Amino acid sequence: MAKRLVLVLGDQLSPRISSLRASDKAGTIVLMAEVAAEAGYVPHHKKKIAFIFSAMRHFAAELREAGWTVDYVTLDDPANSSTLAGEIRRAQTRHGTGELVVTEPGEWRVLAELEACGAQVLPNDLFLCSREEFASWAEGRKSLRMEYFYRLMRQKTGLLMAGNAPEGGQWNFDHENRKPASASLFMPQPLRVAPDAITQQVLELVERHFPRNFGDLEPFWFPVTRTEAERAARQFIDAALPSFGDYQDAMLLGHRFLFHSLLSPLINVGLLDPIELCRMAEAAYRAGKVPLNSAEGFIRQIIGWREYVRGIYWREGPDYARRNALEARRALPSLYWTGKTRMACMAAAIGQTREEAYAHHIQRLMVTGNFALLAGIDPHALHEWYLAVYADAFEWVEVPNTVGMSQHADGGLLASKPYAASGAYINRMSDYCRSCHYTVSEKTGDRACPFNALYWHFLDRHRQRFAGNPRMAQMYRTWDRMDEKHRRALLARADRFLHHLDQHGSDCSAA
């Protein structure tokens, strides 16, 4: 008779999770379950579901090979109860054990479900900073800026440190990481893995059970095993990391991945160890293969931003996802699902998302996120869209990134000012505007880039909140210096656009 049941969730696919390390193989049943409640609580991208289910099945095989007894419940098992709680109860009955051990899940709702099942919850050490450590750092601070947390993590890990000082004499090289890219650059491709028999079975299952979900299921080429994930990491470090820093904010039509790693889905489900990835990047820098701004920028994304948003998520509580400081109430337009729009930047970002379940951070923040911010779209609806459509999206990462950084809906907890920008920013960092229906240099009129008028409309309607912000004072001075007639024309252009958006769900009448 088994002494304990260890539940392994779909984003805990690592043999070093606390629940496995605290258990004896001989006295443990490992439970893994594909359940409809998790696969369907938002309309996940088909590729996302396939990626997680395939990675889970491969991890179950890895555990069995290592000597664990694994009880794996597939989605199409006729007896599947469709919930984690139901599968826990069924497994406890099958194996005659009441003891349940689990590594802390990544989401409030899952934690509540497991605690209701009487689970012993162990710390989630797939992260470098515990919830308690983050709370201690945040206690009593007037500002929770990521930069200061990141410095703490650099000191804790020793990454890119020269004694007690940062390598290169500064902590952050972000100012060197904003170069626009040229299509003439050599663009390395991420590792593409052909589906094996297990993945092919999952693809068929997803097509049967989720035929109407957002996104293209095939071609499917995500790594789904630890070995494949490690190959993808080495390929990124060798081929793309040297130029990652310079062009990490750039966007190009026809070049969806540029020098980005596409490793975040693999990290977020446990197939890659974040600290080992950072050490690989640091080693490449110290070997003279990667410039400092690239190594630092990549490491900052992992030990800085990734750890920081997870800390914010748990510190702020389950109501954080519903915050709406700017009182944005507009429904999410249908163009986010259809991609039908004459805005080239939005069409590119959404089209890529539909096909790949991926878009990089600037496409999310400064294109789809910026548009939602300027248009006053409900931040919770936008959060649920991001959560659904990206393969790397889990609530702990998506809520702070959307509610906090992208939509400023937390009132400035994460960011000292909103990430609002006109079409000029997109034009500077991409080639999207060259093929757009709209003209980025025009401010008013029906062919003017919508981002231009929406930008000033956003500033005008939120003047009371932001006029006293030192980082936004220049913007308001510029607005105030404009001719009154021009201001009225900008606001009228934005109002017409938003009315059309409300009527049609897009700037296209046929969307």
Side-chain angles (χ1 to χ4, degrees), residues 51 106 284 286 451 483:
F51 164 63
R286 297 201 182 280
F451 282 83
D483 178 78

Side-chain angles (χ1 to χ4, degrees), residues 5-21 23 30-33 38 51-53 55-60 62-63 68 70 72 84 88 100-108 110-111 114 119-127 131 224 226 264-274 306 310 314 391 394 396:
L5 185 70
V6 171
L7 174 68
V8 174
L9 301 171
D11 58 351
Q12 299 176 347
L13 309 182
S14 169
R16 66 180 186 84
I17 57 174
S18 56
S19 53
L20 292 178
R21 288 191 292 103
S23 301
V30 176
L31 173 65
M32 298 180 70
E38 293 303 303
F51 164 63
I52 293 175
F53 281 2
M56 287 175 64
R57 294 186 184 193
H58 282 92
F59 183 61
E62 180 184 338
L63 289 178
W68 293 94
V70 180
Y72 194 98
L84 286 174
I88 289 167
L100 172 65
V101 179
V102 63
T103 293
E104 178 185 83
E107 302 185 4
W108 282 105
V110 180
L111 178 62
L114 296 179
Q120 177 187 353
V121 180
L122 302 181
N124 190 331
D125 46 13
L126 295 179
F127 294 86
R131 291 171 56 181
V224 291
R226 195 166 319 284
S264 54
L266 312 180
I267 301 171
N268 287 353
V269 299
L271 293 180
L272 289 176
D273 183 336
R306 181 175 186 268
R310 189 250 184 175
W314 284 107
F394 294 90
W396 64 265

Side-chain angles (χ1 to χ4, degrees), residues 237-239 241-243 280-292 294:
I237 296 290
D238 292 342
L241 183 58
S243 295
M280 289 171 64
E282 180 186 44
Y285 159 70
R286 297 201 182 280
K289 298 178 181 178
V290 169
L292 181 56
S294 287

Side-chain angles (χ1 to χ4, degrees), residues 19-193:
S19 53
L20 292 178
R21 288 191 292 103
S23 301
D24 178 4
K25 291 179 183 178
T28 299
I29 299 292
V30 176
L31 173 65
M32 298 180 70
E34 302 166 2
V35 296
E38 293 303 303
Y41 75 97
V42 293
H44 297 289
H45 196 296
K46 291 178 183 178
K47 272 191 172 77
K48 179 181 182 181
I49 300 171
F51 164 63
I52 293 175
F53 281 2
S54 180
M56 287 175 64
R57 294 186 184 193
H58 282 92
F59 183 61
E62 180 184 338
L63 289 178
R64 291 188 181 110
E65 193 172 325
W68 293 94
T69 300
V70 180
D71 182 353
Y72 194 98
V73 182
T74 62
L75 187 74
D76 50 5
D77 184 326
N80 192 318
S81 66
S82 299
T83 68
L84 286 174
E87 289 314 297
I88 289 167
R89 288 192 293 269
R90 291 204 313 125
Q92 288 173 328
T93 299
R94 283 195 301 274
H95 303 294
T97 179
E99 183 183 11
L100 172 65
V101 179
V102 63
T103 293
E104 178 185 83
E107 302 185 4
W108 282 105
R109 62 180 184 83
V110 180
L111 178 62
E113 184 176 10
L114 296 179
E115 287 180 337
C117 293
Q120 177 187 353
V121 180
L122 302 181
N124 190 331
D125 46 13
L126 295 179
F127 294 86
L128 305 175
C129 182
S130 70
R131 291 171 56 181
E132 295 73 21
E133 184 180 3
F134 186 88
S136 177
W137 170 80
E139 184 68 28
R141 289 177 177 266
K142 294 180 180 179
S143 171
L144 298 183
R145 297 292 174 253
M146 190 277 287
E147 177 66 23
Y148 301 109
F149 172 76
Y150 168 55
R151 294 178 186 184
L152 175 70
M153 295 302 292
R154 286 275 294 276
Q155 292 166 331
K156 176 182 177 178
T157 62
L159 288 162
L160 293 180
M161 296 296 292
N164 294 324
E167 187 75 19
Q170 60 190 67
W171 295 101
N172 187 316
F173 290 85
D174 193 44
H175 65 279
E176 297 182 18
N177 297 348
R178 300 171 184 170
K179 297 178 183 176
S182 165
S184 64
L185 292 167
F186 169 73
M187 303 289 181
Q189 290 298 305
L191 180 71
R192 295 173 182 265
V193 179

Side-chain angles (χ1 to χ4, degrees), residues 385-401:
W385 183 78
Y386 283 128
L387 186 60
V389 302
Y390 291 117
D392 60 358
F394 294 90
E395 191 176 83
W396 64 265
V397 65
E398 211 54 68
V399 168
N401 270 299

